[in-house]
């Protein structure tokens, strides 16, 4: 298919490789070949998805990579699809993954999805919060919940008025951070992939960053792809604008500093702002609000389990396969 598309000049139809190394990760874990962006990779022996849902309506809530992939697959099989996104911009965590230094190739996949959505028959309702009332008015036959995740609960001794926001909002361009200095840095709490990438992103923009992690520094970005992680850690440790404080927890926040706990002692650290990257959990607010609706609902991506782009896209494919089996129920075999 790739050579045929190239020969015909259909460049926008060629699914781009973003060098995410998902394929290498899967093979290294003794699983079959797979692609984060193409859920049929490694499953070519499965039957192609054919149209089976003509006359049926589907609603997809959330336009991250999983939500957009699901909407496109549902459109492909014949559903009349409405894609809801609370932000004005489609992309969700695909954008936050593409913004950090060295990951701009993910914008290729973002553009690929946007082009396909634009050429489809999908109705996009950006800037729309999908509530129970909205869904009841739409009356879809099936519902895909791709509404993502939220920050995990954080129990502190006190919360002050220090500027505070989730780190991913900075990567989304939804939160500006104030000026910082080496003495009063931007404090990022959480040493996972989001925290470390936000630290590097802000340092590149001229900020001074204190990266605080509960674990030992050797576990920074522990879930990142191994080849990328090695280069990321090397850059972090070599960046003079980033200071790493490990084996430390956030104890309290006030308007001028954060209180940190480490080695059995409390320390007041002046801070310009606090960015939270201590972990995510599936956002259950919408699923809870939709309880009792007589509509088949399938959670995908972070709405089901916080994971990565590849899992979200794979979830979308499996959801449509499940719907095909649900709708095209085979006749029972007479024995």
């Amino acid at each position: 298919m790739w050579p045929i598309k190239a020969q015909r000049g259909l460049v926008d139809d060629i699914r781009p490789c973003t060098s995410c190394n998902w394929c290498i990760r899967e093979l290294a874990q003794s699983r079959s070949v797979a692609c984060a962006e193409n859920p049929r990779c490694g499953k070519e022996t499965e039957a192609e998805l054919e149209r089976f849902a003509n006359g049926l309506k589907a609603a997809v809530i959330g336009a991250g990579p999983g939500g957009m992939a699901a909407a496109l697959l549902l459109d492909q099989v014949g559903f009349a699809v409405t894609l809801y996104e609370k932000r004005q911009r489609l992309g969700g965590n695909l954008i936050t993954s593409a913004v950090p230094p060295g990951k701009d190739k993910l914008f290729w996949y973002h553009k690929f999805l946007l082009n396909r959505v634009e050429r489809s028959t999908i109705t996009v309702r950006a800037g729309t919060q999908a509530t129970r009332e909205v869904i009841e008015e739409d009356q879809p036959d099936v519902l895909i919940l791709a509404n993502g995740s939220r920050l995990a609960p954080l129990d502190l001794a006190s919360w002050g008025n220090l500027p505070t926001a989730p780190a991913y909002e900075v990567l989304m361009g939804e939160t500006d951070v104030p000026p910082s200095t080496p003495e009063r840095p931007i404090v990022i709490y959480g040493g996972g992939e989001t925290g470390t990438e936000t630290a590097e992103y802000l340092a590149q923009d001229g900020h001074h960053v204190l990266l605080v992690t509960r674990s030992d520094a050797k576990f920074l970005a522990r879930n990142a792809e191994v080849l990328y992680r090695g280069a990321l850690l090397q850059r972090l440790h070599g960046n003079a604008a980033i200071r790493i404080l490990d084996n430390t927890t956030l104890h309290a926040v006030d308007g001028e500093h954060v209180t940190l706990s480490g080695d059995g002692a409390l320390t007041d650290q002046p801070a310009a702002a606090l960015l939270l990257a201590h972990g995510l959990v599936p956002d259950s607010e919408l699923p809870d609000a939709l309880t009792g609706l007589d509509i088949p609902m399938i959670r995908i991506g972070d709405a089901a389990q916080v994971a990565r782009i590849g899992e979200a896209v794979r979830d979308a494919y499996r959801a449509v396969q499940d719907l095909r089996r649900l709708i095209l129920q085979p006749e029972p075999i007479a024995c």
Side-chain angles (χ1 to χ4, degrees):
M1 292 297 293
W2 188 96
I4 294 173
K5 291 176 182 177
Q7 185 180 46
R8 294 176 178 174
L10 303 175
V11 178
D12 288 343
D13 288 337
I14 297 175
R15 195 183 306 264
C17 173
T18 60
S19 303
C20 73
N21 289 331
W22 179 269
C23 50
I24 295 175
R25 170 179 168 151
E26 292 295 284
L27 291 174
Q29 295 182 9
S30 300
R31 293 194 284 260
S32 63
V33 65
C35 173
E37 297 156 14
N38 184 357
R40 279 190 56 78
C41 178
K43 296 180 173 60
E44 289 81 2
T45 58
E46 293 183 2
E48 289 273 5
L49 284 172
E50 298 178 352
R51 295 181 73 87
F52 62 83
N54 293 329
L56 297 178
K57 295 172 62 177
V60 179
I61 302 177
M68 282 196 286
L72 288 165
L73 288 167
L74 291 167
D75 178 70
Q76 175 185 325
V77 299
F79 281 98
V81 183
T82 301
L83 175 61
Y84 295 91
E85 170 54 50
K86 64 183 178 182
R87 295 182 171 92
Q88 292 293 340
R89 186 183 184 189
L90 308 187
N93 283 341
L94 184 51
I95 297 172
T96 62
S97 296
V99 165
K103 298 183 71 178
D104 53 296
K105 283 185 180 181
L106 284 169
F107 278 122
W108 297 355
Y109 182 47
H110 183 230
K111 181 180 178 181
F112 170 80
L113 290 175
L114 292 179
N115 285 339
R116 290 191 63 197
V117 169
E118 185 176 348
R119 298 200 311 270
S120 72
T121 63
I122 297 168
T123 299
V124 176
R125 296 185 61 181
T128 301
Q129 185 75 47
T131 62
R132 184 184 181 103
E133 291 72 27
V134 168
I135 297 303
E136 287 179 327
E137 182 179 348
D138 187 24
Q139 294 186 326
D141 297 288
V142 299
L143 181 59
I144 302 294
L145 298 178
N147 56 299
S149 56
R150 59 179 175 82
L151 280 174
L154 186 59
D155 185 21
L156 301 181
S158 65
W159 283 94
N161 59 357
L162 182 72
T164 303
Y168 60 76
E169 287 189 0
V170 173
L171 299 178
M172 285 291 295
E174 296 174 342
T175 295
D176 294 324
V177 294
S180 58
T181 65
E183 297 74 27
R184 191 173 293 278
I186 306 296
V187 175
I188 298 176
Y189 184 53
E193 202 164 349
T194 299
T196 53
E197 290 181 342
T198 305
E200 187 178 29
Y201 172 76
L202 289 176
Q204 180 178 268
D205 202 35
H207 283 282
H208 297 272
V209 177
L210 174 62
L211 179 62
V212 179
T213 175
R214 290 162 290 184
S215 303
D216 192 271
K218 66 184 179 182
F219 296 117
L220 287 171
R222 70 180 72 183
N223 292 324
E225 187 278 321
V226 62
L227 296 178
Y228 166 73
R229 179 176 183 262
L232 171 64
L233 295 185
Q234 187 175 20
R235 296 195 304 269
L236 285 174
H237 289 296
N239 194 322
I242 300 173
R243 184 161 65 96
I244 299 169
L245 189 59
D246 63 356
N247 299 306
T248 302
T249 58
L250 179 64
H251 178 75
V253 182
D254 75 8
E256 296 182 350
H257 66 265
V258 297
T259 302
L260 303 174
S261 175
D263 293 328
L266 297 179
T267 305
D268 286 339
Q269 167 64 52
L274 171 65
L275 300 179
L276 299 173
H278 59 281
L280 300 170
V281 294
D283 190 346
S284 61
E285 182 178 354
L286 180 61
D288 290 345
L290 297 176
T291 299
L293 284 183
D294 189 21
I295 303 172
M297 287 185 281
I298 302 176
R299 298 192 198 189
I300 67 171
D302 282 3
Q305 181 177 345
V306 176
R308 307 178 70 81
I309 291 172
E311 278 101 358
V313 174
R314 185 172 57 196
D315 283 356
Y317 179 73
R318 287 175 175 170
V320 178
Q321 290 280 33
D322 289 344
L323 288 171
R324 180 182 64 83
R325 286 187 285 268
L326 177 67
I327 293 171
L328 298 180
Q329 294 184 22
E331 295 183 6
I333 299 175
C335 297

